[in-house]
Amino acid sequence: MGAPRKTPTPPVLVDTTLRDGEQAPGVAFSREEKLRLVRALVSAGIPEIEAGIPVMGTAEQETLWAIAALAGSRCRLLSWGRMHPEDLEAIRSLPIRFANLSIPVSDQQIEKKLQKGRSWVLETVRRFVREALDLGLEVAVGGEDSSRAELDFVLRVAETAQAAGASRYRFADTLGILDPFTTFRSIRKLRRTVDIDIEIHAHDDLGMATANSLAAYRAGATHISVTVNGLGERAGNAPLEEVVAALRYNSRTDCGVRGDSLFALSRLVAEISGRPIPEAKSIVGGSVFTHESGIHVDGLLKDPWNYQAFDPKELGRTHELVLGKHSGPRAIQWGYRRLGVDLSLSEAEAMRKPIAAFVTQRKRSPSPSELLGLLAETIPSGVGSRALPASRA
């Protein structure tokens, strides 16, 4: 994909959970829930929050006023709107002075949704950017469906936005069709064409939103749109927690967001959205730092770096070791030692079969009391198993 920038500046993350995240089917946040989320995002060090859509009405505008009062100067807020007079009128009355004004740029949406032409798009960008600037707003031009647009036209739209006074172009992969290689080439060409900031807004329909966001950053994007847990329309957006971790551990870039805040943020959004977190969800899933395999557990007990690419404590997590079908005798020894029972290797070997049978039948690891019950059933009383002193248990 070409060489990355030699001295990249960390990207600015733009959290749009309150806007694009709430557009997920069946998700609706109350005002208090939005304020709880803003508090958590600000505390985590999120530099920019896309707070909502003013044209939705009085209730949304009142919430945006409350968000602005809460965030103060600790976080930059954006509002979202179309390039439409009603949207601009709703935005002008708010204390949020940065507007993301969106317009389709693919021929598909220009012709089939707007029933307009390319020249109309260019003129509309000129007009609305200038009108917004006259209102004292800073403007990002959101190029909806940029990934399906002809790239040369995307470049013309971005150039037009820059000439009109916009400070940012949002390259939206609205349908999540990009791959990292195409993303890199497109953003690199865009970066070489305009001097304004470039934001990548990736959707996850093909499961590549995080990878596409990193590719865009390496190609010159200055901002990355994210949502907590990847919440959003259809398959969602680039997940905040994945982007933060991938930047830190893959690109060796600290974007300023506290890693130890991600787990709590994830749980909060799961609660207020009604969307449970999958157990295997990277970074924040319940089982992503849990180990059962005998080889892995043995290696972790010898040295955690045998089976960790980064310390989960940096993300507010810890390794969890459980016993199951794939546990070896040393892992079983370790598990029972935690319960105050010292097993010989032969006794631990004898426990493998009943533990595996339990997990196969119940589809979960046994609890401490169940492990002790399996031990009592498997090893006759008085044969080898020894209770450890309290100081060693």
Side-chain angles (χ1 to χ4, degrees):
M1 295 196 307
R5 292 171 291 170
K6 293 181 180 180
T7 55
T9 301
V12 176
L13 299 193
V14 184
D15 187 275
T16 183
T17 309
L18 291 171
R19 199 275 300 175
D20 210 338
E22 196 183 27
Q23 291 177 201
V27 174
F29 302 134
S30 69
R31 181 183 303 185
E32 182 51 42
E33 287 169 341
K34 288 186 176 184
L35 294 177
R36 286 176 62 195
L37 180 54
V38 170
R39 290 188 194 97
L41 290 170
V42 170
S43 177
I46 298 295
E48 292 191 5
I49 296 174
E50 190 169 54
I53 307 173
V55 79
M56 285 178 61
T58 303
E60 179 83 347
Q61 293 168 21
E62 290 175 350
T63 298
L64 290 170
W65 273 95
I67 289 173
L70 176 62
S73 61
R74 296 177 295 166
C75 180
R76 193 180 201 188
L77 299 178
L78 297 79
S79 59
W80 185 95
R82 302 163 298 172
M83 290 194 182
H84 190 282
E86 291 182 6
D87 293 60
L88 195 56
E89 181 63 27
I91 290 170
R92 70 179 297 177
S93 63
L94 295 173
I96 299 172
R97 308 315 294 165
F98 196 167
N100 177 38
L101 300 180
S102 180
I103 190 167
V105 295
S106 68
D107 289 336
Q108 169 66 37
Q109 291 201 1
I110 294 170
E111 297 171 6
K112 303 299 184 182
K113 186 173 85 168
L114 301 180
Q115 298 182 333
K116 301 289 185 179
R118 289 184 177 185
S119 60
W120 179 89
V121 170
L122 296 174
E123 180 54 38
T124 300
V125 169
R126 292 189 194 95
R127 172 190 166 192
F128 274 89
V129 170
R130 289 168 180 166
E131 288 185 8
L133 292 175
D134 288 343
L135 296 174
L137 298 170
E138 185 174 352
V139 182
V141 169
E144 184 180 2
D145 211 19
S146 289
S147 55
R148 289 200 299 173
E150 183 180 291
L151 184 56
D152 284 346
F153 184 63
V154 171
L155 302 182
R156 288 184 64 194
V157 174
E159 287 176 316
T160 301
Q162 176 174 307
S167 62
R168 187 185 307 177
Y169 181 82
R170 172 180 280 183
F171 187 100
D173 182 18
T174 302
L175 296 183
I177 63 168
L178 287 178
D179 61 61
F181 310 99
T182 307
T183 301
F184 186 92
R185 290 192 295 269
S186 297
I187 297 300
R188 180 171 59 178
K189 194 164 185 179
L190 182 59
R191 175 73 290 160
R192 291 172 174 173
T193 302
V194 295
D195 296 324
I196 56 177
D197 290 338
I198 298 171
E199 178 180 336
I200 180 67
H201 181 85
H203 279 262
D204 206 33
D205 296 72
L206 296 179
M208 290 187 279
T210 297
N212 290 338
S213 297
L214 264 66
Y217 165 61
R218 293 198 176 198
T222 55
H223 293 67
I224 299 176
S225 290
V226 293
T227 61
V228 179
N229 296 340
L231 190 67
E233 295 188 76
R234 304 182 315 279
N237 297 57
L240 165 67
E241 60 279 359
E242 292 182 15
V243 170
V244 170
L247 284 169
R248 181 172 298 175
Y249 301 117
N250 179 275
S251 298
R252 299 292 184 262
T253 300
D254 186 350
C255 63
V257 177
R258 289 175 40 220
D260 61 1
S261 71
L262 298 176
F263 189 63
L265 261 175
S266 173
R267 289 299 184 266
L268 171 59
V269 170
E271 173 195 340
I272 65 176
S273 68
R275 294 286 189 92
I277 304 166
E279 277 292 297
K281 170 71 175 66
S282 57
I283 309 302
V284 294
S287 64
V288 294
F289 296 107
T290 300
H291 307 266
E292 176 193 308
S293 167
I295 294 173
H296 282 220
V297 171
D298 182 63
L300 281 166
L301 292 173
K302 290 174 179 174
D303 185 337
W305 288 103
N306 284 327
Y307 285 102
Q308 70 177 25
F310 49 85
D311 190 343
K313 291 181 181 178
E314 296 177 10
L315 301 175
R317 308 293 303 276
T318 59
H319 283 299
E320 297 291 337
L321 307 183
V322 298
L323 298 184
K325 180 178 180 179
H326 304 96
S327 297
R330 294 197 180 278
I332 292 173
Q333 277 186 315
W334 169 86
Y336 276 99
R337 191 171 293 120
R338 293 183 69 189
L339 301 178
V341 179
D342 195 9
L343 298 181
S344 67
L345 271 179
S346 61
E347 291 168 337
E349 180 67 36
M351 292 304 303
R352 293 181 70 175
K353 186 174 181 180
I355 290 173
F358 179 98
V359 175
T360 300
Q361 181 181 8
R362 305 286 186 90
K363 309 303 179 187
R364 62 175 176 82
S365 298
S367 68
S369 62
E370 289 166 336
L371 283 171
L372 292 174
L374 290 172
L375 178 65
E377 294 172 2
T378 306
I379 299 181
S381 177
V383 180
S385 57
R386 297 164 292 279
L388 290 170
S391 61
R392 292 180 58 199

